Amino acid sequence: MTPSNPASFDLRRSPATWGLIISLAVGFVLGWIPSVGQQWGSAVIFDGSLSRPWTLLTYPFGGLGGALSYIFAGLWLHGVGRYIEEREGSGRLLFFFFGLALVASLGIALAALSGIRPALLGDPWIPIAGLTCIWAAREPDQPIRFMFVLQLAAKWVALVAAVLIFFGYGAGAPLIGVLAVLPCVVGWFYGRGNLRLPARDRMVSTGRGPAQSPKEFDAYINKVKDRERERDERERLRRLLESSVSEEGPEDR
């Protein structure tokens, strides 16, 4: 998930992704500072009520959770957010992030009105899980390696994300867990093409020439991947040949 190409860390290539990451970092720091943390939390964290309607959207920046959780969230968001932003554009990435956040918080708020205990939302994992499902639905067999040991296909990564969201937010209230998983379901169906947004004539840039249409951009990406696979295969054959030659003794030659 994390990119190996230094150009992927260029803010100009994925401004919305980096904007979200920086905003999450600022929210965490504000929530961590004792003198302002309580005020910040009461202003942005969603508590299940509609008394502060803006918190339906602002809760990902509440600062709940530890530093390691936010570091991992930032790295993960960089991977899936950059993928979506390059293909959908910055505006749609922001729309997906806040829209998926709203799907869960609004559902939980409506459930709370009926007397069900609401969940306290103050971290970014629900919308990030939804974005993960968009990416996984489009690249279901893309292998992802965790801690350099465990390798999973993207579709299973999406399933693990949904399960973690369900148990993380639905402890003692399974319905709340189901509502928290709704963004994952919406993200998956959108990524598979079952849900569609209004089409628009958007041009994207490869960084090496004039802007191109989304289809042309996808074709460009596929060609780049093909060239990378060919290069890796040539490198593998070269190493195999060198190792076979080095193993030959003077008598063999």
Side-chain angles (χ1 to χ4, degrees), residues 155-191:
K155 56 188 176 185
W156 301 120
V157 173
L159 179 60
V160 169
V163 170
L164 292 176
I165 291 293
F166 173 78
F167 285 103
Y169 294 92
L175 178 58
I176 298 298
V178 171
L179 295 173
V181 170
L182 281 179
C184 294
V185 177
V186 173
W188 178 266
F189 277 104
Y190 175 80

Short mmCIF file of all heavy atoms in Angstrom, two decimals, residues 155-191:
data_model
loop_
_atom_site.label_atom_id
_atom_site.label_comp_id
_atom_site.label_asym_id
_atom_site.label_seq_id
_atom_site.Cartn_x
_atom_site.Cartn_y
_atom_site.Cartn_z
N LYS A 155 -9.23 -7.84 -1.95
CA LYS A 155 -10.62 -8.13 -1.58
C LYS A 155 -10.70 -8.65 -0.16
O LYS A 155 -11.68 -8.38 0.56
CB LYS A 155 -11.22 -9.13 -2.56
CG LYS A 155 -10.45 -10.44 -2.69
CD LYS A 155 -11.00 -11.30 -3.80
CE LYS A 155 -10.17 -12.56 -4.01
NZ LYS A 155 -10.64 -13.35 -5.17
N TRP A 156 -9.67 -9.39 0.30
CA TRP A 156 -9.68 -9.88 1.67
C TRP A 156 -9.29 -8.78 2.63
O TRP A 156 -9.72 -8.78 3.79
CB TRP A 156 -8.75 -11.08 1.80
CG TRP A 156 -9.12 -12.22 0.91
CD1 TRP A 156 -8.37 -12.78 -0.08
CD2 TRP A 156 -10.37 -12.93 0.91
NE1 TRP A 156 -9.05 -13.79 -0.70
CE2 TRP A 156 -10.29 -13.91 -0.12
CE3 TRP A 156 -11.53 -12.84 1.66
CZ2 TRP A 156 -11.33 -14.78 -0.39
CZ3 TRP A 156 -12.58 -13.71 1.39
CH2 TRP A 156 -12.48 -14.66 0.39
N VAL A 157 -8.46 -7.85 2.17
CA VAL A 157 -8.14 -6.68 3.00
C VAL A 157 -9.41 -5.88 3.28
O VAL A 157 -9.63 -5.42 4.41
CB VAL A 157 -7.10 -5.79 2.30
CG1 VAL A 157 -6.89 -4.49 3.06
CG2 VAL A 157 -5.77 -6.53 2.16
N ALA A 158 -10.26 -5.72 2.26
CA ALA A 158 -11.53 -5.02 2.46
C ALA A 158 -12.41 -5.75 3.46
O ALA A 158 -13.05 -5.11 4.32
CB ALA A 158 -12.25 -4.86 1.12
N LEU A 159 -12.45 -7.06 3.39
CA LEU A 159 -13.25 -7.83 4.32
C LEU A 159 -12.73 -7.68 5.74
O LEU A 159 -13.51 -7.50 6.70
CB LEU A 159 -13.25 -9.31 3.93
CG LEU A 159 -14.03 -10.26 4.85
CD1 LEU A 159 -15.50 -9.87 4.90
CD2 LEU A 159 -13.87 -11.70 4.39
N VAL A 160 -11.41 -7.73 5.91
CA VAL A 160 -10.82 -7.56 7.24
C VAL A 160 -11.14 -6.17 7.79
O VAL A 160 -11.48 -6.01 8.97
CB VAL A 160 -9.29 -7.78 7.18
CG1 VAL A 160 -8.63 -7.35 8.48
CG2 VAL A 160 -8.98 -9.24 6.88
N ALA A 161 -11.06 -5.15 6.93
CA ALA A 161 -11.39 -3.79 7.36
C ALA A 161 -12.83 -3.70 7.84
O ALA A 161 -13.12 -3.09 8.88
CB ALA A 161 -11.14 -2.80 6.22
N ALA A 162 -13.76 -4.30 7.11
CA ALA A 162 -15.16 -4.27 7.49
C ALA A 162 -15.40 -5.00 8.81
O ALA A 162 -16.16 -4.53 9.67
CB ALA A 162 -16.02 -4.88 6.39
N VAL A 163 -14.74 -6.15 9.00
CA VAL A 163 -14.90 -6.91 10.24
C VAL A 163 -14.37 -6.12 11.43
O VAL A 163 -15.00 -6.06 12.50
CB VAL A 163 -14.19 -8.27 10.13
CG1 VAL A 163 -14.12 -8.96 11.47
CG2 VAL A 163 -14.90 -9.16 9.12
N LEU A 164 -13.22 -5.48 11.26
CA LEU A 164 -12.65 -4.68 12.34
C LEU A 164 -13.55 -3.49 12.70
O LEU A 164 -13.71 -3.16 13.87
CB LEU A 164 -11.25 -4.19 11.95
CG LEU A 164 -10.17 -5.26 11.84
CD1 LEU A 164 -8.86 -4.65 11.36
CD2 LEU A 164 -9.96 -5.96 13.19
N ILE A 165 -14.14 -2.87 11.69
CA ILE A 165 -15.06 -1.77 11.95
C ILE A 165 -16.28 -2.28 12.72
O ILE A 165 -16.73 -1.66 13.69
CB ILE A 165 -15.50 -1.11 10.63
CG1 ILE A 165 -14.31 -0.36 10.00
CG2 ILE A 165 -16.66 -0.14 10.87
CD1 ILE A 165 -13.82 0.84 10.77
N PHE A 166 -16.81 -3.41 12.30
CA PHE A 166 -18.01 -3.96 12.96
C PHE A 166 -17.75 -4.23 14.44
O PHE A 166 -18.52 -3.80 15.31
CB PHE A 166 -18.45 -5.25 12.26
CG PHE A 166 -19.57 -5.96 12.97
CD1 PHE A 166 -20.87 -5.51 12.85
CD2 PHE A 166 -19.31 -7.06 13.77
CE1 PHE A 166 -21.91 -6.16 13.51
CE2 PHE A 166 -20.33 -7.72 14.43
CZ PHE A 166 -21.63 -7.26 14.30
N PHE A 167 -16.67 -4.93 14.74
CA PHE A 167 -16.40 -5.27 16.14
C PHE A 167 -15.88 -4.08 16.93
O PHE A 167 -16.08 -3.99 18.14
CB PHE A 167 -15.41 -6.44 16.22
CG PHE A 167 -16.02 -7.76 15.87
CD1 PHE A 167 -15.80 -8.35 14.64
CD2 PHE A 167 -16.84 -8.41 16.77
CE1 PHE A 167 -16.37 -9.58 14.31
CE2 PHE A 167 -17.42 -9.63 16.45
CZ PHE A 167 -17.19 -10.22 15.22
N GLY A 168 -15.20 -3.16 16.24
CA GLY A 168 -14.67 -1.99 16.94
C GLY A 168 -15.75 -1.03 17.41
O GLY A 168 -15.63 -0.42 18.49
N TYR A 169 -16.80 -0.88 16.62
CA TYR A 169 -17.85 0.08 16.96
C TYR A 169 -19.14 -0.59 17.44
O TYR A 169 -20.00 0.09 17.99
CB TYR A 169 -18.18 0.96 15.75
CG TYR A 169 -17.04 1.85 15.34
CD1 TYR A 169 -16.12 1.43 14.38
CD2 TYR A 169 -16.87 3.10 15.91
CE1 TYR A 169 -15.07 2.23 14.01
CE2 TYR A 169 -15.82 3.92 15.55
CZ TYR A 169 -14.91 3.48 14.60
OH TYR A 169 -13.85 4.26 14.23
N GLY A 170 -19.26 -1.88 17.27
CA GLY A 170 -20.51 -2.55 17.62
C GLY A 170 -20.46 -3.34 18.90
O GLY A 170 -21.38 -4.13 19.16
N ALA A 171 -19.42 -3.15 19.72
CA ALA A 171 -19.33 -3.88 20.98
C ALA A 171 -20.53 -3.54 21.87
O ALA A 171 -20.73 -2.39 22.25
CB ALA A 171 -18.03 -3.53 21.70
N GLY A 172 -21.30 -4.56 22.21
CA GLY A 172 -22.47 -4.35 23.05
C GLY A 172 -23.69 -3.84 22.31
O GLY A 172 -24.78 -3.77 22.88
N ALA A 173 -23.54 -3.47 21.06
CA ALA A 173 -24.66 -2.96 20.25
C ALA A 173 -24.41 -3.35 18.80
O ALA A 173 -23.92 -2.54 18.01
CB ALA A 173 -24.80 -1.45 20.40
N PRO A 174 -24.71 -4.59 18.41
CA PRO A 174 -24.41 -5.06 17.05
C PRO A 174 -25.00 -4.19 15.94
O PRO A 174 -24.39 -4.06 14.88
CB PRO A 174 -25.01 -6.47 17.03
CG PRO A 174 -25.04 -6.89 18.47
CD PRO A 174 -25.31 -5.65 19.25
N LEU A 175 -26.18 -3.59 16.20
CA LEU A 175 -26.77 -2.75 15.16
C LEU A 175 -25.88 -1.56 14.85
O LEU A 175 -25.75 -1.15 13.69
CB LEU A 175 -28.16 -2.28 15.60
CG LEU A 175 -28.88 -1.35 14.61
CD1 LEU A 175 -29.05 -2.02 13.25
CD2 LEU A 175 -30.21 -0.88 15.16
N ILE A 176 -25.25 -0.99 15.88
CA ILE A 176 -24.32 0.12 15.65
C ILE A 176 -23.15 -0.36 14.80
O ILE A 176 -22.67 0.36 13.91
CB ILE A 176 -23.83 0.69 16.98
CG1 ILE A 176 -25.00 1.25 17.79
CG2 ILE A 176 -22.79 1.78 16.76
CD1 ILE A 176 -25.72 2.40 17.12
N GLY A 177 -22.68 -1.58 15.05
CA GLY A 177 -21.61 -2.14 14.22
C GLY A 177 -22.02 -2.28 12.78
O GLY A 177 -21.24 -1.97 11.86
N VAL A 178 -23.24 -2.72 12.54
CA VAL A 178 -23.76 -2.85 11.17
C VAL A 178 -23.82 -1.49 10.50
O VAL A 178 -23.42 -1.33 9.34
CB VAL A 178 -25.14 -3.51 11.18
CG1 VAL A 178 -25.77 -3.45 9.79
CG2 VAL A 178 -25.04 -4.96 11.65
N LEU A 179 -24.29 -0.48 11.22
CA LEU A 179 -24.38 0.88 10.66
C LEU A 179 -23.00 1.44 10.37
O LEU A 179 -22.80 2.17 9.39
CB LEU A 179 -25.14 1.79 11.62
CG LEU A 179 -26.62 1.43 11.84
CD1 LEU A 179 -27.22 2.29 12.94
CD2 LEU A 179 -27.41 1.60 10.55
N ALA A 180 -22.03 1.12 11.22
CA ALA A 180 -20.66 1.60 11.00
C ALA A 180 -20.04 0.95 9.77
O ALA A 180 -19.15 1.54 9.13
CB ALA A 180 -19.80 1.33 12.23
N VAL A 181 -20.50 -0.25 9.40
CA VAL A 181 -19.96 -0.97 8.25
C VAL A 181 -20.60 -0.50 6.94
O VAL A 181 -20.08 -0.77 5.85
CB VAL A 181 -20.15 -2.49 8.44
CG1 VAL A 181 -19.83 -3.26 7.18
CG2 VAL A 181 -19.27 -2.99 9.57
N LEU A 182 -21.71 0.23 7.01
CA LEU A 182 -22.39 0.67 5.80
C LEU A 182 -21.47 1.39 4.81
O LEU A 182 -21.59 1.17 3.60
CB LEU A 182 -23.58 1.56 6.16
CG LEU A 182 -24.86 0.85 6.62
CD1 LEU A 182 -25.94 1.86 6.96
CD2 LEU A 182 -25.35 -0.13 5.56
N PRO A 183 -20.55 2.28 5.26
CA PRO A 183 -19.65 2.91 4.29
C PRO A 183 -18.81 1.90 3.52
O PRO A 183 -18.49 2.13 2.34
CB PRO A 183 -18.77 3.82 5.16
CG PRO A 183 -19.63 4.14 6.33
CD PRO A 183 -20.40 2.89 6.60
N CYS A 184 -18.44 0.78 4.16
CA CYS A 184 -17.69 -0.26 3.45
C CYS A 184 -18.54 -0.87 2.35
O CYS A 184 -18.06 -1.13 1.24
CB CYS A 184 -17.24 -1.33 4.44
SG CYS A 184 -16.04 -0.78 5.67
N VAL A 185 -19.81 -1.11 2.66
CA VAL A 185 -20.72 -1.69 1.67
C VAL A 185 -20.92 -0.72 0.51
O VAL A 185 -20.85 -1.10 -0.67
CB VAL A 185 -22.07 -2.04 2.33
CG1 VAL A 185 -23.05 -2.57 1.29
CG2 VAL A 185 -21.86 -3.05 3.46
N VAL A 186 -21.17 0.56 0.83
CA VAL A 186 -21.35 1.56 -0.22
C VAL A 186 -20.09 1.69 -1.06
O VAL A 186 -20.16 1.75 -2.31
CB VAL A 186 -21.73 2.92 0.41
CG1 VAL A 186 -21.75 4.02 -0.65
CG2 VAL A 186 -23.09 2.83 1.10
N GLY A 187 -18.93 1.73 -0.41
CA GLY A 187 -17.68 1.84 -1.14
C GLY A 187 -17.44 0.67 -2.06
O GLY A 187 -16.99 0.83 -3.21
N TRP A 188 -17.76 -0.54 -1.60
CA TRP A 188 -17.55 -1.73 -2.43
C TRP A 188 -18.45 -1.70 -3.66
O TRP A 188 -18.00 -1.95 -4.78
CB TRP A 188 -17.82 -2.99 -1.61
CG TRP A 188 -17.68 -4.24 -2.41
CD1 TRP A 188 -18.65 -4.93 -3.07
CD2 TRP A 188 -16.45 -4.95 -2.66
NE1 TRP A 188 -18.13 -6.02 -3.71
CE2 TRP A 188 -16.78 -6.07 -3.48
CE3 TRP A 188 -15.13 -4.76 -2.28
CZ2 TRP A 188 -15.82 -6.98 -3.90
CZ3 TRP A 188 -14.17 -5.68 -2.71
CH2 TRP A 188 -14.52 -6.77 -3.51
N PHE A 189 -19.73 -1.39 -3.46
CA PHE A 189 -20.65 -1.37 -4.60
C PHE A 189 -20.29 -0.26 -5.58
O PHE A 189 -20.44 -0.43 -6.81
CB PHE A 189 -22.09 -1.22 -4.11
CG PHE A 189 -22.72 -2.51 -3.67
CD1 PHE A 189 -22.88 -2.81 -2.33
CD2 PHE A 189 -23.11 -3.46 -4.61
CE1 PHE A 189 -23.44 -4.00 -1.93
CE2 PHE A 189 -23.68 -4.66 -4.22
CZ PHE A 189 -23.84 -4.93 -2.87
N TYR A 190 -19.80 0.87 -5.06
CA TYR A 190 -19.38 1.93 -5.99
C TYR A 190 -18.15 1.48 -6.78
O TYR A 190 -18.08 1.67 -8.00
CB TYR A 190 -19.06 3.21 -5.24
CG TYR A 190 -18.52 4.29 -6.16
CD1 TYR A 190 -19.38 5.04 -6.95
CD2 TYR A 190 -17.15 4.50 -6.27
CE1 TYR A 190 -18.88 6.01 -7.81
CE2 TYR A 190 -16.65 5.45 -7.14
CZ TYR A 190 -17.51 6.20 -7.91
OH TYR A 190 -17.02 7.15 -8.78
N GLY A 191 -17.20 0.89 -6.09
CA GLY A 191 -16.00 0.42 -6.78
C GLY A 191 -16.28 -0.63 -7.82
O GLY A 191 -15.61 -0.69 -8.86
#
